[in-house]
Amino acid sequence: MRVTAVRTARAPWPRRALGALRDAVDNVARHSPARLALLVFAAIIAVVTALLSLPAATRAEEPATFVDALFTAVSAVCVTGLTTVSTATYWSGFGQAVIIVAVKIGGLGVMTLASILGLAVSRRIGLTQRLLAASETKTTRLGEVGTLVRAVVVASLAVELAVFLVLLPRFLSLGESLGPAAWHALFMAVSIFNNAGFVVLEGGMAPFVGDWWMCLPIIVGGAIGALGFPVILNVASRLRGDRRLSLHTKLTVVTYSLLAVGGSLAFAVFEWRNSATLGELPVADRVLASLLAGVNSRSSGLSTVDLGVASDATWFVTDALMFVGGGSASTAGGIKVTTFAVLVLAIVAEARGDRDAEAFGRRIGTTTIRLAVAVAFLGATLVGVGTLLLLALTDYHLELVLFEVISAFATVGLSTGITPDLPDAAKYVLSALMFAGRLGTVTLAGALALRQRRRVIRMPSEPPIVG
Amino acid sequence: MRVTAVRTARAPWPRRALGALRDAVDNVARHSPARLALLVFAAIIAVVTALLSLPAATRAEEPATFVDALFTAVSAVCVTGLTTVSTATYWSGFGQAVIIVAVKIGGLGVMTLASILGLAVSRRIGLTQRLLAASETKTTRLGEVGTLVRAVVVASLAVELAVFLVLLPRFLSLGESLGPAAWHALFMAVSIFNNAGFVVLEGGMAPFVGDWWMCLPIIVGGAIGALGFPVILNVASRLRGDRRLSLHTKLTVVTYSLLAVGGSLAFAVFEWRNSATLGELPVADRVLASLLAGVNSRSSGLSTVDLGVASDATWFVTDALMFVGGGSASTAGGIKVTTFAVLVLAIVAEARGDRDAEAFGRRIGTTTIRLAVAVAFLGATLVGVGTLLLLALTDYHLELVLFEVISAFATVGLSTGITPDLPDAAKYVLSALMFAGRLGTVTLAGALALRQRRRVIRMPSEPPIVG
Ligand SMILES: [K+]
Ligand SMILES: [K+]
């Protein structure tokens, strides 16, 4: 380190400053990749907040308030879609462009960006692998950050392009001219694949409740994004005949599908006769809206139905589905479907008296189970603390507060409609939840960990009685 | 078996029937102690339901409806205290006596009764030890069912007698004559130690909000019962200098105390200025009511304050405290404080990068952690399913439904007041929750387990990505 300091001291000051910054980032990256990711995340949110605070970002004369700019920035970078102001009517074209770029960056994964940054700062492969190991995409087998990033970018652009090409003629057929139609299709394609839940259409999604041409791309594109990059890459490799399907892919696809089907059925059951939501619609529209709701809740956040008038049972089921969320290293949030599946498998093994939790002929190790427990428990704790804070800060009852809190934590973006009316303090709480939820509870725990140690001497074991 | 059949076939028929019954019980006990406990539990509830259905059990001419008799029987045997009718005014003296005897039986633990039954059926020590291992009191170190049962009975009678002796002069000093005062003191003493939450006083508990003479025995007696028999016996042995304090005792007492203090503080914070609850009371009364609330929520279920007008934040905190509950093998319910503590310790170890979860210089093994995960997860699942059913069956919102469901699952008995007004179907749901909650999620899982097996061939391990 002393050698570096002497060398940079002799260089001209811009290079000295750059060298110092490089050393600082290098130091943080070496010490804790998770903390680096947290800092990068915060820095991007700060930039987006600043851009959205410009007078040019809003349609009105006056610029956005700090809390609205920050909330929107966090919601965009964390691909949530909760909004305190209307995306379609409050923000200018420039503001909307800032939002969708922030969504794109968030969707590619700030963890991936952190990996790139880490690679640029330090060429040592040791660090690269540590960064990768802790990175959001966690696909350590790719072995090379460049390949990983390229694959992520190519995969996301391919799906976004496909959704864009399907939606563009739809907007044209609705009578829009080429410019607005292309902008709407582009914005929606990025918003859909990244599960961002931002809507740039002034009439919202409600007019499309029976529009299969509009809703199917939302369902398919959102689902692909929510399954996660590791699944997309694994399936792509498999299609080229390179690799077998991993346990992760099988667990994710099966659990995701079961929860989506279950969620759709539950939505249909609880809303079929609710005249405020599905009750007055043709049967085909009810089916489509239910399908969309099943995928929605993990976590595109695009709803063609006003959830503010849905039943309490629907809210509660959606709470549970949102909390579980989508696939690991995906554009969806929540504790992730594999976390949920691992917990269920561990408990089934416990009830059966089996030694190991198993799935698809593979054993799931204790380390994985411990991690799943930690993620689920920390997630529940975050949701619990956030809920208590909002209950204390507002006059809303539990069913509304819990929905908004889980939607923020799991970066879903569905809303019963209370977010715009919340006091500033509550908006900050939701912003913090989106940030913590997107960073991942385990990454956060790692970043904030008090110490990392291996004890040589083990304590004698003694089992307390539980249950 | 053929030899036995031949022998009993030659005996007179009452002995043959008894022998067949003995064989049947023996078979169930040998096959699954948990299933035996479940059957014994259900049988006792059936008897109590039948007794409460007698015309003599109510004050009015007409007998109780089946749903009210069943609900009260389950609530009493499961030492919950949720009621669909007023214990003080609806039931006759005979009915109240049935309830308090049911409470006493429930408090001693049907698992203990199952052990006695098992001992009577089969003298083989192998079976006895298996029964003990799966028994509610789980103190395998006592090694002998007789000693265990005697200790449980002596300990409970001693605490109940102490509470009785403190409360009797209080009721006398309130102007009651000896008979009613003794009955009230006896009923309350059993109700308090067994954390049953049934109140035989016509004016309820509200008049005693500032009565330290009444409330301190409730707090202390309820806390001793909620810590659990293993803790009581361990502390008693320690006081005689026989044994060291076990990890179980330390974990239980520390976690229980922390949660009680935290619960009292939270109640005080959220209700201090609520004129409907504490706001109008003298400061000393507010402190006492908050202390009682902190102990209450795990799970005496006796409240001097009308929780129906408490704040949403108080309800939510109480939800969490009720869910955690009291000590293992105690008269309290919930997932138990040791389960909660083990989960927290495991997650702290995970975040710190430690190999083992540790407490008080002792290591907590993987088996214990797996069991804690299963108990917590199954508990959450039961609460979730119960909540969804009640949301679908009633028009109440989440904050009221969740409170009643957790109160039933954790056999607490606190209520916001909706239970008497629930439709019958919802009352059956709450009854099922009390039953499942009291039997213990793990015992239930064991009883319903599909199979018990040890696989020789282990699958290859493959870690999915979680979180
Ligand atoms: K979203
Ligand atoms: K109780």
Side-chain angles (χ1 to χ4, degrees):
Chain A
M1 289 306 279
R2 185 173 286 174
V3 174
T4 310
V6 170
R7 196 179 60 216
T8 50
R10 281 177 192 164
W13 77 263
R15 275 184 61 190
R16 276 214 315 274
L18 213 65
L21 177 67
R22 218 185 72 172
D23 284 353
V25 174
D26 191 19
N27 192 36
V28 173
R30 206 178 322 183
H31 191 69
S32 164
R35 201 168 297 164
L36 173 65
L38 204 147
L39 288 175
V40 172
F41 231 104
I44 293 173
I45 287 171
V47 170
V48 175
T49 304
L51 290 174
L52 290 178
S53 297
L54 297 175
T58 60
R59 292 198 182 183
E61 293 278 313
E62 63 271 20
T65 61
F66 175 72
V67 66
D68 285 337
L70 176 72
F71 191 96
T72 308
V74 174
S75 184
V77 174
C78 300
V79 292
T80 305
L82 279 177
T83 51
T84 53
V85 294
S86 163
T87 309
T89 60
Y90 181 82
W91 301 109
S92 66
F94 168 69
Q96 291 170 350
V98 168
I99 289 171
I100 205 66
V101 169
V103 165
K104 183 68 193 154
I105 293 173
L108 283 177
V110 176
M111 294 299 176
T112 311
L113 290 178
S115 307
I116 303 170
L117 187 60
L119 195 68
V121 170
S122 163
R123 298 255 156 67
R124 277 164 306 136
I125 201 69
L127 176 59
T128 306
Q129 282 179 337
R130 278 177 58 205
L131 280 166
L132 256 181
S135 83
E136 199 169 40
T137 47
K138 289 187 188 116
T139 47
T140 48
R141 284 176 195 164
L142 283 173
E144 169 66 64
V145 172
T147 312
L148 167 74
V149 173
R150 207 178 318 129
V152 165
V153 170
V154 168
S156 65
L157 286 180
V159 180
E160 283 162 359
L161 182 64
V163 175
F164 171 81
L165 291 177
V166 174
L167 289 186
L168 179 60
R170 182 64 191 136
F171 283 114
L172 289 172
S173 75
L174 288 170
E176 295 187 359
S177 54
L178 185 61
W183 170 236
H184 288 162
L186 175 69
F187 191 101
M188 294 306 293
V190 174
S191 186
I192 288 166
F193 173 74
N194 292 290
N195 278 273
F198 282 93
V199 179
V200 78
L201 312 171
E202 296 202 7
M205 296 302 298
F208 303 103
V209 67
D211 189 333
W212 290 77
W213 192 350
M214 182 67 77
C215 288
L216 275 187
I218 294 179
I219 291 172
V220 176
I224 293 174
L227 287 171
F229 293 124
V231 172
I232 296 173
L233 298 179
N234 186 224
V235 171
S237 298
R238 185 74 192 80
L239 292 178
R240 288 197 305 271
D242 285 359
R243 283 199 289 168
R244 65 171 189 83
L245 290 181
S246 66
L247 174 61
H248 177 75
T249 297
K250 292 174 187 166
L251 262 191
T252 301
V253 172
V254 168
T255 314
Y256 184 93
S257 305
L258 287 177
L259 289 176
V261 170
S264 299
L265 282 176
F267 190 86
V269 165
F270 292 124
E271 298 301 327
W272 200 264
R273 302 206 175 281
N274 180 350
S275 59
T277 54
L278 301 184
E280 307 286 310
L281 301 174
V283 168
D285 292 12
R286 297 190 213 183
V287 171
L288 180 61
S290 299
L291 280 176
L292 184 60
V295 176
N296 242 342
S297 43
R298 63 166 45 64
S299 61
S300 81
L302 293 169
S303 181
T304 51
V305 166
D306 180 6
L307 286 170
V309 290
S311 71
D312 281 76
T314 296
W315 286 340
F316 190 66
V317 171
T318 309
D319 286 342
L321 292 174
M322 291 194 299
F323 184 73
V324 173
S328 296
S330 76
T331 53
I335 62 168
K336 306 297 170 355
V337 289
T338 41
T339 306
F340 177 72
V342 165
L343 287 175
V344 170
L345 291 168
I347 285 151
V348 167
E350 186 75 9
R352 281 180 169 178
D354 292 353
R355 184 166 57 168
D356 299 313
E358 290 167 4
F360 300 106
R362 287 286 183 280
R363 179 159 50 88
I364 295 167
T366 310
T367 313
T368 307
I369 294 173
R370 276 178 63 167
L371 198 59
V373 171
V375 169
F377 198 84
L378 284 177
T381 304
L382 275 177
V383 168
V385 171
T387 301
L388 186 59
L389 285 173
L390 254 67
L391 286 175
L393 289 170
T394 72
D395 288 330
Y396 293 109
H397 285 305
L398 184 61
E399 76 279 9
L400 296 176
V401 164
L402 187 65
F403 192 96
E404 225 74 4
V405 163
I406 295 184
S407 180
F409 161 75
T411 68
V412 174
L414 292 175
S415 175
T416 58
I418 67 170
T419 291
D421 302 326
L422 291 175
D424 285 0
K427 289 178 182 172
Y428 289 124
V429 171
L430 288 186
S431 300
L433 280 169
M434 291 190 277
F435 188 73
R438 185 66 191 144
L439 263 182
T441 42
V442 163
T443 309
L444 195 69
L448 304 177
L450 302 172
R451 59 205 173 114
Q452 296 276 343
R453 54 168 199 169
R454 293 281 162 196
R455 293 258 292 257
V456 179
I457 302 165
R458 297 182 86 182
M459 299 294 177
S461 177
E462 181 181 337
I465 309 167
V466 300
Chain B
M1 286 307 277
R2 185 173 287 174
V3 175
T4 310
V6 170
R7 194 181 60 218
T8 49
R10 281 174 192 165
W13 79 261
R15 277 186 57 191
R16 277 216 312 277
L18 215 64
L21 178 67
R22 218 185 70 171
D23 285 354
V25 174
D26 192 18
N27 192 34
V28 173
R30 205 178 323 184
H31 191 68
S32 165
R35 202 169 296 165
L36 173 65
L38 203 146
L39 288 175
V40 172
F41 231 105
I44 294 173
I45 287 170
V47 170
V48 175
T49 304
L51 290 173
L52 290 178
S53 298
L54 296 176
T58 60
R59 292 199 180 181
E61 294 277 313
E62 63 273 16
T65 60
F66 175 72
V67 66
D68 285 336
L70 176 72
F71 191 96
T72 307
V74 174
S75 184
V77 174
C78 300
V79 291
T80 306
L82 279 177
T83 51
T84 54
V85 295
S86 163
T87 310
T89 60
Y90 181 82
W91 301 108
S92 66
F94 168 70
Q96 291 170 352
V98 169
I99 289 170
I100 205 64
V101 169
V103 164
K104 183 70 194 153
I105 293 172
L108 283 177
V110 176
M111 293 301 177
T112 311
L113 289 178
S115 307
I116 304 169
L117 186 60
L119 195 68
V121 169
S122 162
R123 299 253 156 66
R124 278 163 306 135
I125 202 69
L127 176 60
T128 306
Q129 284 180 334
R130 277 177 57 205
L131 279 166
L132 254 180
S135 82
E136 197 169 41
T137 47
K138 288 184 188 121
T139 47
T140 48
R141 285 177 195 162
L142 283 172
E144 169 65 64
V145 172
T147 311
L148 168 74
V149 173
R150 208 178 317 128
V152 165
V153 171
V154 168
S156 66
L157 286 181
V159 180
E160 284 162 358
L161 183 65
V163 175
F164 172 80
L165 291 176
V166 174
L167 289 186
L168 179 59
R170 182 66 191 136
F171 283 113
L172 289 172
S173 74
L174 288 170
E176 297 188 358
S177 55
L178 186 60
W183 170 236
H184 286 163
L186 176 69
F187 191 101
M188 292 306 293
V190 174
S191 186
I192 289 166
F193 173 74
N194 292 289
N195 278 274
F198 282 93
V199 179
V200 79
L201 312 170
E202 297 201 6
M205 296 303 298
F208 302 104
V209 67
D211 190 332
W212 291 76
W213 191 351
M214 182 67 77
C215 289
L216 274 187
I218 294 179
I219 291 173
V220 176
I224 293 173
L227 287 172
F229 292 124
V231 172
I232 297 172
L233 298 180
N234 185 223
V235 170
S237 298
R238 184 72 193 81
L239 291 178
R240 288 197 306 270
D242 284 359
R243 283 200 289 169
R244 64 169 189 85
L245 290 180
S246 66
L247 174 61
H248 177 75
T249 298
K250 291 176 188 166
L251 261 191
T252 301
V253 172
V254 168
T255 313
Y256 184 92
S257 305
L258 286 177
L259 290 175
V261 170
S264 299
L265 282 177
F267 190 86
V269 165
F270 292 123
E271 297 301 326
W272 200 263
R273 302 205 176 281
N274 181 349
S275 59
T277 54
L278 299 185
E280 306 286 310
L281 301 174
V283 168
D285 292 13
R286 297 190 212 182
V287 171
L288 180 60
S290 299
L291 280 176
L292 184 61
V295 175
N296 244 341
S297 43
R298 62 165 47 64
S299 62
S300 81
L302 293 170
S303 182
T304 52
V305 167
D306 179 6
L307 286 171
V309 289
S311 71
D312 281 78
T314 296
W315 286 340
F316 190 67
V317 170
T318 308
D319 287 341
L321 292 174
M322 292 194 298
F323 184 74
V324 174
S328 296
S330 77
T331 53
I335 63 168
K336 307 297 170 357
V337 289
T338 42
T339 306
F340 176 72
V342 165
L343 287 176
V344 170
L345 291 169
I347 285 150
V348 168
E350 186 75 8
R352 280 180 170 179
D354 291 353
R355 184 165 58 168
D356 300 313
E358 291 167 4
F360 300 107
R362 287 287 182 279
R363 180 159 51 88
I364 295 167
T366 309
T367 313
T368 307
I369 294 173
R370 275 178 63 167
L371 198 58
V373 171
V375 169
F377 198 84
L378 284 176
T381 304
L382 276 176
V383 168
V385 171
T387 301
L388 185 59
L389 285 172
L390 254 69
L391 286 176
L393 289 169
T394 72
D395 288 329
Y396 292 110
H397 284 305
L398 184 61
E399 77 277 10
L400 296 176
V401 164
L402 186 65
F403 192 96
E404 225 75 2
V405 164
I406 295 184
S407 180
F409 160 75
T411 69
V412 175
L414 292 175
S415 174
T416 59
I418 67 169
T419 292
D421 302 325
L422 292 175
D424 285 0
K427 290 179 183 172
Y428 289 123
V429 171
L430 288 186
S431 301
L433 280 170
M434 291 190 278
F435 189 74
R438 185 66 190 143
L439 265 181
T441 42
V442 163
T443 311
L444 195 70
L448 304 176
L450 301 171
R451 58 205 172 114
Q452 298 274 343
R453 53 168 199 169
R454 294 279 162 195
R455 293 258 292 257
V456 179
I457 301 165
R458 297 182 86 183
M459 299 294 178
S461 177
E462 180 181 337
I465 309 167
V466 301

